[in-house]
Coordinates of all heavy atoms in Angstrom, one line a residue:
M1079 N 0.2 -8.8 -55.1 CA 1.6 -8.8 -55.6 C 2.5 -8.4 -54.5 O 2.3 -7.4 -53.8 CB 1.7 -7.9 -56.8 CG 3.0 -7.8 -57.4 SD 3.2 -6.7 -58.9 CE 2.0 -7.4 -60.0
L1080 N 3.6 -9.1 -54.4 CA 4.6 -8.7 -53.3 C 5.4 -7.5 -53.8 O 5.6 -7.3 -55.0 CB 5.5 -9.9 -53.1 CG 4.8 -11.2 -52.5 CD1 5.8 -12.3 -52.4 CD2 4.3 -10.8 -51.1
P1081 N 6.0 -6.8 -52.9 CA 6.8 -5.6 -53.3 C 8.0 -6.1 -54.1 O 8.4 -5.3 -55.0 CB 7.3 -5.0 -51.9 CG 6.2 -5.5 -50.9 CD 5.7 -6.8 -51.4
E1082 N 8.6 -7.2 -53.8 CA 9.7 -7.7 -54.6 C 9.4 -8.0 -56.0 O 10.1 -7.7 -56.9 CB 10.3 -9.0 -53.9 CG 11.0 -8.7 -52.6 CD 10.0 -8.8 -51.4 OE1 8.8 -9.2 -51.6 OE2 10.3 -8.4 -50.3
E1083 N 8.2 -8.6 -56.2 CA 7.7 -8.9 -57.5 C 7.4 -7.6 -58.3 O 7.8 -7.5 -59.5 CB 6.4 -9.7 -57.5 CG 6.5 -11.1 -56.9 CD 5.2 -11.8 -56.7 OE1 4.2 -11.1 -56.4 OE2 5.2 -13.0 -56.7
F1084 N 6.8 -6.6 -57.6 CA 6.6 -5.3 -58.3 C 7.9 -4.6 -58.7 O 8.0 -4.1 -59.8 CB 5.8 -4.4 -57.4 CG 5.5 -3.1 -58.0 CD1 4.5 -3.0 -58.9 CD2 6.2 -1.9 -57.6 CE1 4.2 -1.7 -59.5 CE2 5.9 -0.7 -58.1 CZ 4.9 -0.6 -59.1
E1085 N 8.9 -4.7 -57.8 CA 10.2 -4.1 -58.1 C 10.8 -4.8 -59.4 O 11.4 -4.1 -60.2 CB 11.1 -4.3 -56.9 CG 12.4 -3.6 -57.1 CD 13.3 -3.7 -55.9 OE1 12.8 -4.0 -54.8 OE2 14.5 -3.4 -56.0
E1086 N 10.7 -6.1 -59.4 CA 11.3 -6.8 -60.6 C 10.6 -6.5 -61.9 O 11.2 -6.3 -62.9 CB 11.3 -8.3 -60.4 CG 12.2 -8.8 -59.3 CD 13.7 -8.5 -59.7 OE1 14.1 -8.7 -60.8 OE2 14.4 -8.1 -58.8
I1087 N 9.3 -6.3 -61.8 CA 8.5 -5.9 -63.0 C 8.9 -4.5 -63.4 O 9.1 -4.3 -64.6 CB 7.0 -6.0 -62.7 CG1 6.5 -7.4 -62.5 CG2 6.1 -5.3 -63.8 CD1 5.1 -7.6 -62.0
C1088 N 9.1 -3.6 -62.5 CA 9.5 -2.3 -62.8 C 10.9 -2.3 -63.5 O 11.1 -1.5 -64.4 CB 9.5 -1.4 -61.6 SG 7.9 -0.9 -61.0
K1089 N 11.8 -3.1 -63.0 CA 13.1 -3.2 -63.5 C 13.1 -3.7 -65.0 O 13.8 -3.2 -65.9 CB 14.0 -4.1 -62.7 CG 14.5 -3.5 -61.4 CD 15.4 -4.5 -60.6 CE 15.8 -3.9 -59.3 NZ 16.6 -4.9 -58.5
A1090 N 12.3 -4.7 -65.2 CA 12.1 -5.3 -66.5 C 11.5 -4.3 -67.5 O 12.0 -4.2 -68.6 CB 11.3 -6.6 -66.5
Y1091 N 10.5 -3.6 -67.0 CA 9.9 -2.6 -67.9 C 10.9 -1.5 -68.3 O 11.0 -1.0 -69.4 CB 8.7 -2.0 -67.2 CG 8.1 -0.9 -68.0 CD1 7.2 -1.2 -69.1 CD2 8.3 0.5 -67.7 CE1 6.7 -0.2 -69.9 CE2 7.7 1.5 -68.5 CZ 6.9 1.2 -69.6 OH 6.4 2.2 -70.3
S1092 N 11.7 -1.1 -67.3 CA 12.7 0.0 -67.5 C 13.8 -0.5 -68.5 O 14.2 0.2 -69.4 CB 13.3 0.3 -66.2 OG 14.4 1.3 -66.4
A1093 N 14.2 -1.8 -68.4 CA 15.2 -2.3 -69.3 C 14.7 -2.4 -70.7 O 15.4 -2.1 -71.6 CB 15.7 -3.7 -68.8
Q1094 N 13.4 -2.8 -70.8 CA 12.8 -2.9 -72.1 C 12.7 -1.6 -72.8 O 13.0 -1.4 -74.0 CB 11.4 -3.6 -72.0 CG 10.7 -3.7 -73.4 CD 9.3 -4.3 -73.3 OE1 8.8 -4.5 -72.2 NE2 8.7 -4.5 -74.4
S1095 N 12.2 -0.6 -72.0 CA 12.1 0.8 -72.5 C 13.4 1.3 -73.0 O 13.5 2.0 -74.0 CB 11.4 1.6 -71.5 OG 11.3 3.0 -71.9
E1096 N 14.5 1.1 -72.2 CA 15.8 1.6 -72.5 C 16.3 0.9 -73.8 O 16.9 1.6 -74.6 CB 16.7 1.3 -71.3 CG 18.1 1.9 -71.5 CD 19.0 1.7 -70.3 OE1 18.5 1.8 -69.1 OE2 20.2 1.5 -70.5
A1097 N 16.1 -0.3 -73.9 CA 16.5 -1.1 -75.1 C 15.8 -0.5 -76.4 O 16.4 -0.3 -77.4 CB 16.3 -2.6 -75.0
E1098 N 14.5 -0.2 -76.2 CA 13.8 0.4 -77.4 C 14.4 1.8 -77.7 O 14.5 2.1 -78.9 CB 12.3 0.5 -77.0 CG 11.6 -0.9 -77.0 CD 10.2 -0.8 -76.5 OE1 9.7 0.3 -76.2 OE2 9.5 -1.8 -76.4
D1099 N 14.7 2.6 -76.7 CA 15.2 3.9 -77.0 C 16.6 3.8 -77.7 O 16.9 4.5 -78.6 CB 15.4 4.7 -75.7 CG 14.0 5.1 -75.1 OD1 13.0 5.1 -75.8 OD2 14.0 5.5 -73.9
K1100 N 17.4 2.9 -77.2 CA 18.7 2.7 -77.8 C 18.6 2.3 -79.3 O 19.3 2.7 -80.2 CB 19.6 1.7 -77.1 CG 20.1 2.2 -75.7 CD 20.9 1.1 -75.0 CE 21.5 1.7 -73.7 NZ 22.3 0.7 -73.0
G1101 N 17.6 1.4 -79.5 CA 17.4 0.9 -80.9 C 17.0 2.1 -81.8 O 17.4 2.2 -83.0
E1102 N 16.1 3.0 -81.3 CA 15.7 4.1 -82.1 C 16.9 5.0 -82.4 O 17.0 5.5 -83.5 CB 14.6 4.9 -81.4 CG 13.3 4.1 -81.4 CD 12.2 4.9 -80.6 OE1 12.3 6.2 -80.6 OE2 11.3 4.3 -80.0
W1103 N 17.7 5.3 -81.4 CA 18.9 6.1 -81.6 C 19.9 5.5 -82.6 O 20.4 6.2 -83.5 CB 19.6 6.4 -80.3 CG 19.1 7.5 -79.6 CD1 18.3 7.5 -78.5 CD2 19.3 8.9 -79.8 NE1 17.9 8.7 -78.1 CE2 18.6 9.6 -78.9 CE3 20.0 9.6 -80.8 CZ2 18.5 11.0 -78.9 CZ3 19.9 11.0 -80.8 CH2 19.2 11.7 -79.8
E1104 N 20.0 4.2 -82.6 CA 20.9 3.5 -83.5 C 20.4 3.6 -85.0 O 21.1 3.9 -85.9 CB 21.0 2.0 -83.2 CG 21.7 1.7 -81.9 CD 23.2 1.9 -82.0 OE1 23.8 1.8 -83.1 OE2 23.9 2.0 -81.0
R1105 N 19.1 3.4 -85.1 CA 18.5 3.6 -86.5 C 18.6 5.0 -87.0 O 18.9 5.2 -88.2 CB 17.0 3.2 -86.4 CG 16.8 1.7 -86.4 CD 15.3 1.3 -86.6 NE 14.5 1.7 -85.4 CZ 14.4 1.1 -84.3 NH1 15.1 0.0 -84.1 NH2 13.6 1.5 -83.3
M1106 N 18.4 6.0 -86.1 CA 18.5 7.4 -86.6 C 20.0 7.7 -86.9 O 20.2 8.5 -87.9 CB 18.0 8.3 -85.5 CG 16.5 8.3 -85.3 SD 15.6 8.6 -86.8 CE 16.0 10.3 -87.1
R1107 N 20.9 7.2 -86.2 CA 22.3 7.4 -86.5 C 22.7 6.8 -87.8 O 23.4 7.4 -88.7 CB 23.2 6.9 -85.4 CG 24.7 7.0 -85.7 CD 25.5 6.7 -84.5 NE 25.4 5.3 -84.2 CZ 26.1 4.7 -83.2 NH1 26.9 5.4 -82.5 NH2 26.0 3.4 -82.9
L1108 N 22.2 5.6 -88.1 CA 22.5 5.0 -89.4 C 21.9 5.7 -90.5 O 22.5 5.9 -91.6 CB 22.0 3.5 -89.3 CG 22.2 2.7 -90.6 CD1 23.7 2.6 -90.9 CD2 21.6 1.3 -90.5
L1109 N 20.6 6.2 -90.3 CA 19.9 7.0 -91.4 C 20.7 8.3 -91.6 O 20.9 8.7 -92.8 CB 18.5 7.3 -90.9 CG 17.7 8.1 -91.9 CD1 17.5 7.4 -93.2 CD2 16.3 8.4 -91.3
A1110 N 21.2 8.9 -90.6 CA 22.0 10.1 -90.8 C 23.3 9.9 -91.6 O 23.6 10.6 -92.5 CB 22.3 10.8 -89.4
A1111 N 23.9 8.8 -91.3 CA 25.2 8.4 -92.0 C 24.9 8.1 -93.4 O 25.6 8.6 -94.3 CB 25.8 7.2 -91.3
I1112 N 23.8 7.4 -93.7 CA 23.4 7.1 -95.1 C 23.1 8.4 -95.8 O 23.4 8.6 -97.0 CB 22.3 6.1 -95.2 CG1 22.7 4.8 -94.7 CG2 21.7 6.0 -96.6 CD1 21.6 3.8 -94.4
T1113 N 22.4 9.3 -95.2 CA 22.0 10.6 -95.8 C 23.2 11.5 -96.1 O 23.3 12.1 -97.1 CB 21.0 11.3 -94.9 OG1 19.9 10.5 -94.6 CG2 20.5 12.6 -95.5
V1114 N 24.2 11.5 -95.2 CA 25.3 12.4 -95.3 C 26.4 11.8 -96.3 O 27.1 12.6 -97.0 CB 26.0 12.6 -94.0 CG1 27.3 13.3 -94.0 CG2 25.0 13.4 -93.1
Q1115 N 26.4 10.5 -96.4 CA 27.5 9.8 -97.2 C 27.7 10.4 -98.6 O 28.8 10.7 -99.0 CB 27.2 8.3 -97.3 CG 28.3 7.5 -98.0 CD 29.6 7.6 -97.3 OE1 29.7 7.3 -96.2 NE2 30.6 8.1 -98.1
P1116 N 26.6 10.7 -99.4 CA 26.9 11.2 -100.8 C 27.5 12.6 -100.8 O 28.0 13.0 -101.9 CB 25.5 11.2 -101.4 CG 24.6 10.4 -100.6 CD 25.2 10.4 -99.2
H1117 N 27.4 13.3 -99.7 CA 27.9 14.7 -99.7 C 29.3 14.9 -99.1 O 29.7 16.0 -99.0 CB 26.8 15.5 -99.0 CG 25.5 15.4 -99.5 ND1 25.1 16.0 -100.7 CD2 24.4 14.7 -99.1 CE1 23.8 15.6 -101.0 NE2 23.4 14.9 -100.0
V1118 N 29.9 13.8 -98.7 CA 31.3 14.0 -98.1 C 32.2 13.1 -98.8 O 31.9 12.1 -99.4 CB 31.2 13.6 -96.6 CG1 30.4 14.6 -95.8 CG2 30.8 12.2 -96.4
K1119 N 33.5 13.5 -98.8 CA 34.6 12.7 -99.4 C 34.9 11.6 -98.3 O 34.9 11.8 -97.1 CB 35.8 13.5 -99.7 CG 35.6 14.5 -100.8 CD 36.8 15.2 -101.1 CE 36.6 16.2 -102.2 NZ 37.8 17.0 -102.5
G1120 N 35.2 10.4 -98.8 CA 35.6 9.3 -97.9 C 34.4 8.6 -97.4 O 33.2 8.9 -97.8
K1121 N 34.6 7.7 -96.5 CA 33.6 6.9 -95.9 C 33.1 7.4 -94.6 O 33.9 7.8 -93.8 CB 34.1 5.4 -95.8 CG 33.0 4.4 -95.6 CD 33.6 3.0 -95.7 CE 32.5 2.0 -95.8 NZ 33.0 0.7 -96.0
V1122 N 31.8 7.5 -94.4 CA 31.3 7.9 -93.1 C 30.9 6.7 -92.3 O 30.2 5.8 -92.7 CB 30.0 8.8 -93.4 CG1 29.3 9.2 -92.1 CG2 30.3 10.0 -94.2
N1123 N 31.4 6.8 -91.0 CA 31.2 5.7 -90.1 C 30.1 6.2 -89.1 O 30.3 7.3 -88.5 CB 32.5 5.4 -89.3 CG 32.3 4.3 -88.4 OD1 31.2 3.8 -88.1 ND2 33.4 3.8 -87.9
P1124 N 29.0 5.5 -88.9 CA 27.9 6.0 -88.0 C 28.4 6.3 -86.6 O 28.0 7.3 -86.0 CB 26.9 4.9 -88.0 CG 27.1 4.2 -89.3 CD 28.5 4.3 -89.6
Q1125 N 29.4 5.5 -86.1 CA 29.9 5.7 -84.8 C 30.7 6.9 -84.7 O 30.7 7.6 -83.7 CB 30.7 4.5 -84.4 CG 29.9 3.2 -84.0 CD 29.4 2.5 -85.3 OE1 29.9 2.7 -86.4 NE2 28.4 1.7 -85.1
K1126 N 31.5 7.3 -85.7 CA 32.2 8.5 -85.7 C 31.4 9.7 -86.0 O 31.7 10.8 -85.5 CB 33.3 8.5 -86.8 CG 34.4 7.5 -86.5 CD 35.5 7.5 -87.5 CE 36.7 6.6 -87.1 NZ 37.7 6.6 -88.2
L1127 N 30.3 9.6 -86.7 CA 29.4 10.7 -87.0 C 28.7 11.1 -85.7 O 28.6 12.3 -85.5 CB 28.3 10.2 -88.1 CG 27.4 11.3 -88.5 CD1 28.1 12.4 -89.2 CD2 26.3 10.7 -89.4
L1128 N 28.2 10.2 -84.9 CA 27.6 10.5 -83.7 C 27.8 9.4 -82.7 O 27.4 8.2 -82.8 CB 26.0 10.6 -83.9 CG 25.2 10.8 -82.7 CD1 25.5 12.2 -82.1 CD2 23.7 10.7 -83.0
S1129 N 28.6 9.7 -81.7 CA 28.9 8.7 -80.6 C 27.8 8.8 -79.6 O 27.3 9.9 -79.2 CB 30.2 8.9 -80.0 OG 30.3 10.2 -79.3
L1130 N 27.3 7.7 -79.1 CA 26.2 7.6 -78.2 C 26.8 7.3 -76.8 O 27.8 6.7 -76.6 CB 25.2 6.6 -78.6 CG 24.6 6.8 -79.9 CD1 23.7 5.6 -80.4 CD2 23.7 8.1 -79.9
P1131 N 26.1 7.9 -75.7 CA 26.7 7.8 -74.4 C 27.0 6.3 -73.9 O 27.9 6.1 -73.2 CB 25.6 8.4 -73.5 CG 24.8 9.2 -74.4 CD 24.9 8.6 -75.8
W1132 N 26.1 5.4 -74.3 CA 26.3 4.0 -73.8 C 27.5 3.3 -74.5 O 27.8 2.2 -74.1 CB 25.0 3.2 -73.9 CG 24.4 3.2 -75.3 CD1 24.7 2.3 -76.3 CD2 23.4 4.0 -75.7 NE1 24.0 2.6 -77.4 CE2 23.1 3.7 -77.1 CE3 22.7 5.1 -75.2 CZ2 22.2 4.3 -77.9 CZ3 21.7 5.7 -76.0 CH2 21.5 5.3 -77.3
E1133 N 28.0 3.9 -75.5 CA 29.1 3.3 -76.2 C 30.5 3.6 -75.6 O 31.5 3.0 -75.9 CB 29.2 3.7 -77.7 CG 28.0 3.2 -78.4 CD 28.0 3.7 -79.9 OE1 28.6 4.8 -80.1 OE2 27.4 3.0 -80.7
K1134 N 30.5 4.6 -74.7 CA 31.7 5.0 -74.1 C 32.1 4.0 -73.0 O 31.5 4.0 -71.9 CB 31.6 6.4 -73.6 CG 31.4 7.4 -74.7 CD 31.2 8.8 -74.2 CE 31.0 9.8 -75.3 NZ 30.7 11.1 -74.9
T1135 N 33.0 3.2 -73.2 CA 33.4 2.1 -72.3 C 34.5 2.6 -71.3 O 34.7 1.9 -70.3 CB 33.8 0.8 -73.0 OG1 34.9 1.1 -73.8 CG2 32.6 0.2 -73.8
Q1136 N 35.2 3.6 -71.7 CA 36.3 4.1 -70.9 C 35.7 4.9 -69.7 O 35.1 5.9 -69.9 CB 37.3 4.9 -71.7 CG 38.0 4.1 -72.8 CD 38.9 5.0 -73.6 OE1 38.9 6.2 -73.4 NE2 39.6 4.4 -74.5
T1137 N 36.0 4.4 -68.5 CA 35.6 5.2 -67.3 C 36.9 5.6 -66.7 O 37.9 4.9 -66.6 CB 34.8 4.3 -66.4 OG1 35.6 3.1 -66.0 CG2 33.5 3.9 -67.0
P1138 N 36.9 6.8 -66.2 CA 38.1 7.3 -65.5 C 38.4 6.4 -64.3 O 37.6 6.1 -63.5 CB 37.7 8.7 -65.1 CG 36.3 8.8 -65.2 CD 35.8 7.8 -66.1
K1139 N 39.7 6.1 -64.2 CA 40.1 5.2 -63.1 C 40.4 6.1 -61.9 O 41.0 7.1 -62.0 CB 41.3 4.4 -63.5 CG 41.1 3.4 -64.6 CD 42.3 2.6 -64.9 CE 42.0 1.6 -66.0 NZ 43.2 0.8 -66.3
R1140 N 39.9 5.6 -60.8 CA 40.2 6.3 -59.5 C 41.5 5.8 -58.9 O 41.8 4.7 -59.0 CB 39.0 6.1 -58.5 CG 37.7 6.7 -59.0 CD 36.7 6.5 -58.0 NE 35.4 7.0 -58.4 CZ 34.3 7.0 -57.7 NH1 34.3 6.5 -56.5 NH2 33.2 7.5 -58.1
E1141 N 42.1 6.8 -58.3 CA 43.4 6.4 -57.6 C 43.0 5.7 -56.3 O 42.0 6.0 -55.7 CB 44.2 7.6 -57.3 CG 44.7 8.3 -58.5 CD 45.5 9.6 -58.2 OE1 46.0 9.7 -57.0 OE2 45.7 10.4 -59.0
A1142 N 43.8 4.7 -56.0 CA 43.6 4.0 -54.8 C 43.8 4.9 -53.6 O 44.8 5.6 -53.5 CB 44.5 2.7 -54.7
V1143 N 42.9 4.9 -52.6 CA 43.0 5.7 -51.4 C 43.4 4.8 -50.3 O 42.7 3.8 -50.0 CB 41.6 6.4 -51.2 CG1 41.7 7.2 -49.9 CG2 41.2 7.2 -52.3
S1144 N 44.4 5.2 -49.6 CA 44.8 4.4 -48.4 C 43.8 4.5 -47.3 O 43.0 5.4 -47.2 CB 46.2 4.8 -47.9 OG 46.1 6.1 -47.4
K1145 N 43.9 3.6 -46.3 CA 43.0 3.6 -45.2 C 43.1 4.9 -44.4 O 42.2 5.5 -43.9 CB 43.2 2.4 -44.3 CG 42.7 1.1 -44.9 CD 42.9 0.0 -44.0 CE 42.5 -1.3 -44.6 NZ 42.6 -2.5 -43.7
E1146 N 44.4 5.4 -44.3 CA 44.6 6.6 -43.5 C 44.0 7.8 -44.2 O 43.4 8.6 -43.5 CB 46.2 6.8 -43.3 CG 46.9 5.7 -42.5 CD 47.2 4.5 -43.3 OE1 47.2 4.5 -44.5 OE2 47.4 3.4 -42.6
D1147 N 44.2 7.9 -45.5 CA 43.6 9.0 -46.2 C 42.1 9.0 -46.1 O 41.4 10.0 -46.0 CB 44.0 9.0 -47.7 CG 45.5 9.4 -47.9 OD1 46.0 10.0 -46.9 OD2 46.0 9.0 -48.9
S1148 N 41.5 7.8 -46.2 CA 40.1 7.6 -46.2 C 39.6 8.1 -44.8 O 38.6 8.8 -44.7 CB 39.7 6.2 -46.4 OG 38.3 6.0 -46.4
K1149 N 40.3 7.6 -43.8 CA 39.9 8.0 -42.4 C 40.0 9.5 -42.2 O 39.1 10.1 -41.6 CB 40.7 7.3 -41.4 CG 40.3 7.5 -40.0 CD 41.1 6.6 -39.0 CE 40.7 6.9 -37.6 NZ 41.5 6.1 -36.6
A1150 N 41.1 10.1 -42.7 CA 41.3 11.6 -42.6 C 40.1 12.3 -43.3 O 39.6 13.3 -42.8 CB 42.6 12.0 -43.1
R1151 N 39.8 11.9 -44.5 CA 38.7 12.5 -45.2 C 37.4 12.4 -44.5 O 36.6 13.4 -44.4 CB 38.5 11.8 -46.6 CG 39.6 12.2 -47.6 CD 39.3 11.5 -48.9 NE 40.3 11.7 -49.9 CZ 40.2 11.2 -51.1 NH1 39.3 10.4 -51.5 NH2 41.2 11.5 -52.0
F1152 N 37.1 11.2 -43.9 CA 35.9 11.0 -43.1 C 35.9 12.0 -41.9 O 34.8 12.6 -41.7 CB 35.8 9.6 -42.7 CG 34.6 9.3 -41.9 CD1 33.3 9.3 -42.5 CD2 34.7 9.1 -40.5 CE1 32.2 9.0 -41.7 CE2 33.5 8.8 -39.8 CZ 32.3 8.8 -40.3
E1153 N 37.0 12.1 -41.2 CA 37.0 12.9 -40.0 C 36.8 14.4 -40.4 O 36.2 15.1 -39.7 CB 38.3 12.7 -39.3 CG 38.4 11.4 -38.6 CD 39.8 11.0 -38.0 OE1 40.7 11.8 -38.2 OE2 39.9 10.0 -37.3
A1154 N 37.4 14.8 -41.6 CA 37.2 16.2 -42.0 C 35.8 16.4 -42.4 O 35.2 17.5 -42.1 CB 38.1 16.4 -43.2
L1155 N 35.1 15.5 -43.0 CA 33.7 15.6 -43.3 C 32.9 15.7 -42.1 O 32.0 16.6 -42.0 CB 33.2 14.4 -44.2 CG 31.8 14.4 -44.5 CD1 31.4 15.6 -45.4 CD2 31.4 13.1 -45.2
V1156 N 33.1 14.9 -41.1 CA 32.4 15.0 -39.8 C 32.6 16.3 -39.1 O 31.6 16.9 -38.6 CB 32.9 13.8 -38.9 CG1 32.3 14.0 -37.5 CG2 32.4 12.5 -39.4
K1157 N 33.8 16.9 -39.1 CA 34.0 18.2 -38.5 C 33.3 19.3 -39.2 O 32.7 20.1 -38.6 CB 35.5 18.5 -38.6 CG 36.3 17.7 -37.6 CD 37.8 18.1 -37.6 CE 38.6 17.2 -36.6 NZ 40.1 17.5 -36.7
R1158 N 33.2 19.2 -40.6 CA 32.4 20.2 -41.4 C 30.9 20.1 -41.0 O 30.2 21.1 -41.0 CB 32.6 20.0 -42.8 CG 33.9 20.7 -43.3 CD 33.9 20.8 -44.8 NE 34.2 19.4 -45.4 CZ 33.8 19.0 -46.6 NH1 33.2 19.9 -47.4 NH2 34.1 17.8 -47.0
L1159 N 30.4 18.9 -40.9 CA 29.0 18.7 -40.6 C 28.6 19.1 -39.2 O 27.5 19.4 -38.9 CB 28.6 17.2 -40.9 CG 28.7 16.8 -42.3 CD1 28.4 15.3 -42.5 CD2 27.7 17.6 -43.2
E1160 N 29.6 19.0 -38.3 CA 29.3 19.4 -36.9 C 29.1 20.9 -36.7 O 28.6 21.3 -35.7 CB 30.4 18.9 -36.0 CG 30.4 17.4 -35.8 CD 31.5 16.8 -35.0 OE1 32.5 17.6 -34.7 OE2 31.4 15.7 -34.5
K1161 N 29.6 21.7 -37.6 CA 29.6 23.1 -37.4 C 28.2 23.7 -37.5 O 27.2 23.3 -38.0 CB 30.4 23.8 -38.5 CG 31.9 23.6 -38.2 CD 32.7 24.3 -39.3 CE 34.2 24.1 -39.0 NZ 35.0 24.8 -40.0

């Protein structure tokens, strides 16, 4: 087996395992919502009851860094590392 083939097999196994884990979390969240529903007023939404990390689509936006600022940061880092 070539290293590239092995790497692809590992990626596929990891993706499959992650999908199974997500499915289990989804089922548990739904079960929790169904269990809690009779004891609360109003409607319980599984997503509001427990938000899962992979559902958070909002990522903090980074400010654009100019070339000069980037160069200055790099030079400052080099100076710190030279000490």
Side-chain angles (χ1 to χ4, degrees):
M1079 181 180 298
L1080 296 174
E1082 294 84 13
E1083 294 172 333
F1084 181 75
E1085 185 177 345
E1086 289 300 318
I1087 289 171
C1088 289
K1089 286 180 185 178
Y1091 177 78
S1092 177
Q1094 179 184 4
S1095 178
E1096 187 176 323
E1098 289 174 1
D1099 289 344
K1100 286 181 180 181
E1102 288 179 30
W1103 275 103
E1104 293 284 341
R1105 284 188 293 280
M1106 290 304 295
R1107 177 171 67 177
L1108 181 61
L1109 179 62
I1112 292 169
T1113 304
V1114 169
Q1115 183 62 55
H1117 305 286
V1118 295
K1119 292 182 181 179
K1121 197 170 191 176
V1122 175
N1123 185 351
Q1125 287 76 18
K1126 288 183 180 178
L1127 184 65
L1128 175 65
S1129 64
L1130 298 172
W1132 54 85
E1133 294 176 336
K1134 297 178 181 176
T1135 57
Q1136 296 178 354
T1137 56
K1139 294 183 180 180
R1140 295 183 181 181
E1141 294 180 19
V1143 179
S1144 67
K1145 289 182 182 181
E1146 295 82 20
D1147 288 341
S1148 179
K1149 186 176 179 180
R1151 287 181 181 179
F1152 178 73
E1153 289 172 354
L1155 177 65
V1156 170
K1157 286 180 183 178
R1158 277 193 287 158
L1159 293 175
E1160 287 177 347
K1161 291 181 180 181

